[in-house]
């Protein structure tokens, strides 16, 4: 069933729409419809991770952490709950430069064409694998990049996942940039040639195509985060895929059990069809009892951060994360951050989340892994919707950082000089 767009059609991509109009239009639809209405709010006087986690536990998404303030996306109900906790949230207007859907960003049909082109141009280096279907039945595609790409060679594997969150379109551009870098750079650049020869690289360029398409399909961006799957017993649409992973799912107040919430964790762990498909794909990389993927990055926007597990707890060391394992994540995260200028930290330093991909990839699969929160650093630079003119600069910016992860993929523990213990 289709629901009317909350905003007045003004002509796709031609007429920039002021952010205030978007916000008011969104709020005006009320909270009882099947399309929950989310708004952007600022909360002042918040400076600790504990306060931020308490705020996130109401079901809002924390979009940005400032020195003494927060930006959140949430429903009116969430804002009422925050008010009763003593947090005053004020509607926040994005800068006027926020554009309506910008044709410089790649749509899902365009992405599928690009994937086919890359594979056609580099048949020995790049291969496409359909690893499942989205809720709406679109193909979910993975691109493998390696020498002898059609053979499953015994080489360390690296995973890049993109666009769990629909509105984080710059992450899809990052995937395209990596595909081009690793294929066009092969035979041109010695380091890239060696890495493509010695690794098997999996790029999942958009794990939430239904959400992306929905976010782009209106006359203004829709600020959509979740997938497009209905929930049991509710007319609300969408699961926050990065709260739906099967490690300590829903454990710790880091997600919402309300289908209307923008951080809804889903009806059960892996109930999100796209999460189940990616999780099956990852489990499928276990060969002879050994997970082939050693390291991974999950790309998000925004705030310019490199984050590592765990997100469900503030503790660094747990039964599932030894001191050396933690130190490996921190050292690799810091080493990559030197290259791109992002801020490295444990993900719960920001706020507690549960059911995130980071926690599952590490605790369930033993994969050393990171979340990148890409450009911009602040909402004033466009938040989730920077102009497409930044794409080339902000994707190139991560080349060296990504190559550093690929360098260490033979044995991430090498970065703390523990390759003999862990990889010997
Ligand atoms: O909340 C998320 O899922 C990620 N941020 S976003 O603004 N892209 O939605 C951050 C995930 C990393 N985990 C934690 N911060 N715990
Ligand atoms: Ca190979
Ligand atoms: Zn995200």
């Amino acid at each position: 069933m289709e629901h009317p767009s909350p905003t007045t059609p003004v002509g796709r991509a031609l007429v920039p729409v002021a952010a205030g109009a978007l916000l008011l239009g969104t709020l005006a639809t009320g909270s009882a419809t099947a399309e929950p209405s989310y708004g952007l709010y600022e909360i002042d006087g918040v400076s600790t991770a504990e306060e931020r986690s308490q705020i996130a536990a109401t079901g809002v998404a924390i979009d940005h952490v400032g020195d003494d303030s927060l930006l959140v996306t949430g429903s009116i109900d969430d804002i009422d709950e925050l008010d009763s906790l003593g947090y005053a949230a004020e509607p926040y207007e994005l800068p006027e430069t926020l554009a309506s859907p910008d044709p410089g960003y790649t749509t899902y049909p365009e992405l599928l064409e690009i994937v086919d082109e890359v594979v056609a141009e580099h048949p020995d280096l790049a291969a496409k694998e359909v690893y499942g279907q989205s809720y709406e039945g679109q193909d979910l595609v993975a691109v493998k990049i390696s020498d002898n790409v059609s053979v499953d060679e015994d080489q360390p594997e690296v995973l890049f996942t993109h666009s769990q969150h629909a509105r984080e379109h710059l992450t899809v551009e990052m995937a395209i940039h990596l595909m081009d870098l690793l294929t066009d750079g092969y035979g041109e650049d010695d380091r890239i040639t060696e890495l493509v020869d010695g690794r098997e690289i999996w790029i999942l360029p958009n794990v939430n195509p239904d959400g992306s398409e929905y976010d782009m399909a209106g006359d203004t961006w829709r600020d959509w985060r979740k997938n497009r799957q209905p929930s049991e017993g509710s007319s609300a649409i969408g699961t926050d895929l990065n709260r739906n992973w099967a490690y300590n799912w829903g454990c710790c107040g880091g997600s919402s059990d309300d289908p209307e919430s923008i951080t809804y964790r889903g009806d059960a762990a892996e109930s999100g069809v796209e999460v189940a498909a990616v999780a099956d794909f990852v489990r499928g990389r276990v060969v002879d009892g050994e997970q082939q993927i050693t390291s991974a990055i999950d790309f998000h926007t925004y705030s310019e951060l490199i984050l590592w597990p765990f997100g469900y707890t503030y503790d660094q060391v747990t039964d599932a994360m030894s001191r050396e394992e933690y130190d490996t994540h921190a050292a690799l995260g810091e080493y990559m951050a030197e290259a791109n200028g992002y801020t490295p930290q444990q993900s719960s330093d920001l706020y507690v989340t549960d059911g995130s991909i980071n926690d599952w990839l590490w605790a369930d699969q033993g994969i050393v892994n990171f979340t990148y929160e890409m450009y911009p650093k602040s909402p004033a630079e466009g938040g989730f919707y920077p102009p497409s003119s930044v794409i080339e600069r902000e994707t190139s910016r991560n080349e060296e950082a990504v190559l550093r992860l690929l360098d260490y993929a033979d044995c991430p523990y090498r970065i703390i000089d523990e390759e003999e213990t862990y990889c010997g």
Side-chain angles (χ1 to χ4, degrees):
M1 194 174 63
E2 274 299 310
H3 298 279
S5 163
T7 48
T8 312
V10 289
R12 184 186 156 102
L14 293 174
V15 182
V17 176
L22 170 63
L23 179 63
L24 291 173
T26 307
L27 292 178
T29 59
S31 59
T33 60
E35 296 299 348
S37 53
Y38 305 119
L40 184 57
Y41 297 86
E42 186 171 39
I43 307 173
D44 282 331
V46 177
S47 53
T48 69
E50 286 78 4
E51 291 171 308
R52 292 191 292 268
S53 297
Q54 190 189 18
I55 288 166
T58 65
V60 299
I62 296 186
D63 297 345
H64 185 258
V65 176
D67 287 341
D68 193 39
S69 69
L70 288 188
L71 274 192
V72 302
T73 308
S75 68
I76 301 218
D77 288 352
D78 298 328
I79 299 313
D80 285 348
E81 193 181 336
L82 284 172
D83 198 63
S84 69
L85 291 170
Y87 295 108
E90 300 294 336
Y92 182 86
E93 302 223 353
L94 280 169
E96 298 261 343
T97 52
L98 179 81
S100 57
D102 178 333
Y105 283 96
T106 306
T107 66
Y108 198 61
E110 289 166 352
L111 175 67
L112 295 177
E113 275 178 38
I114 290 170
V115 166
D116 287 343
E117 278 165 26
V118 169
V119 170
E121 277 173 32
H122 308 275
D124 302 330
L125 289 182
K128 176 173 91 171
E129 182 177 320
V130 176
Y131 63 88
Q133 271 73 43
S134 69
Y135 176 76
E136 291 175 347
Q138 307 197 73
D139 280 350
L140 297 170
V141 303
V143 178
K144 179 185 174 187
I145 298 176
S146 188
D147 69 336
N148 308 315
V149 70
S150 59
V151 184
D152 185 4
E153 296 182 301
D154 187 12
Q155 295 168 330
E157 300 185 18
V158 180
L159 175 70
F160 299 111
T161 49
H162 302 254
S163 195
Q164 281 203 82
H165 290 144
R167 60 186 171 179
E168 300 171 9
H169 302 284
L170 190 60
T171 67
V172 173
E173 308 304 328
M174 188 71 228
I176 295 167
H177 190 87
L178 289 179
M179 289 190 270
D180 288 341
L181 175 75
L182 297 170
T183 55
D184 294 340
Y186 189 86
E188 299 285 329
D189 178 286
D190 288 347
R191 183 176 178 202
I192 289 172
T193 306
E194 236 173 82
L195 288 171
V196 170
D197 281 341
R199 311 277 180 261
E200 297 194 323
I201 300 156
W202 295 99
I203 300 174
L204 277 52
N206 189 341
V207 303
N208 182 10
D210 299 349
S212 300
E213 288 296 274
Y214 179 74
D215 195 55
M216 284 183 168
D219 298 301
T220 61
W221 300 109
R222 286 168 158 159
D223 241 325
W224 195 253
R225 170 180 171 97
K226 301 189 281 184
N227 74 352
R228 293 295 299 163
Q229 180 176 354
S231 308
E232 278 169 26
S234 167
S235 58
I237 302 283
T239 291
D240 183 343
L241 299 182
N242 208 26
R243 300 292 182 276
N244 190 238
W245 294 82
Y247 180 71
N248 284 346
W249 177 78
C251 70
C252 302
S255 59
S256 175
D257 65 0
D258 176 0
E260 301 252 338
S261 166
I262 192 169
T263 57
Y264 178 53
R265 68 175 73 109
D267 302 334
E270 293 188 18
S271 60
V273 300
E274 297 84 3
V275 168
V278 177
D280 282 344
F281 172 85
V282 172
R283 285 185 285 256
R285 297 316 306 147
V286 175
V287 177
D288 295 333
E290 198 185 333
Q291 176 55 261
Q292 303 297 296
I293 301 171
T294 63
S295 33
I297 298 171
D298 184 44
F299 286 93
H300 290 251
T301 71
Y302 64 98
S303 290
E304 301 187 359
L305 305 169
I306 294 182
L307 307 173
W308 55 81
F310 283 120
Y312 81 91
T313 174
Y314 299 118
D315 292 347
Q316 297 184 349
V317 176
T318 75
D319 288 351
M321 174 81 80
S322 71
R323 169 51 53 191
E324 285 180 347
E325 290 163 345
Y326 182 88
D327 289 348
T328 297
H329 281 91
L332 250 182
E334 283 158 14
Y335 180 56
M336 294 189 290
E338 273 169 28
N340 63 8
Y342 290 9
T343 301
Q345 57 187 184
Q346 184 176 344
S347 64
S348 57
D349 288 356
L350 218 50
Y351 49 90
V352 165
T353 57
D354 46 48
S356 77
I357 191 174
N358 293 139
D359 291 5
W360 183 81
L361 283 175
W362 172 253
D364 203 76
Q365 299 293 314
I367 297 169
V368 171
N369 81 99
F370 302 88
T371 287
Y372 275 26
E373 295 278 7
M374 293 177 65
Y375 179 89
K377 205 174 176 71
S378 75
E381 298 158 284
F384 293 108
Y385 301 110
S388 60
S389 54
V390 310
I391 289 172
E392 179 54 31
R393 185 188 72 214
E394 294 301 328
T395 55
S396 306
R397 175 180 179 179
N398 286 326
E399 284 178 8
E400 173 63 24
V402 166
L403 293 174
R404 287 182 178 194
L405 187 81
L406 290 169
D407 280 335
Y408 275 94
D410 60 307
C411 182
Y413 306 92
R414 192 154 54 79
I415 199 150
I416 59 160
D417 288 322
E418 289 292 345
E419 62 264 49
E420 263 164 51
T421 313
Y422 291 88
C423 312

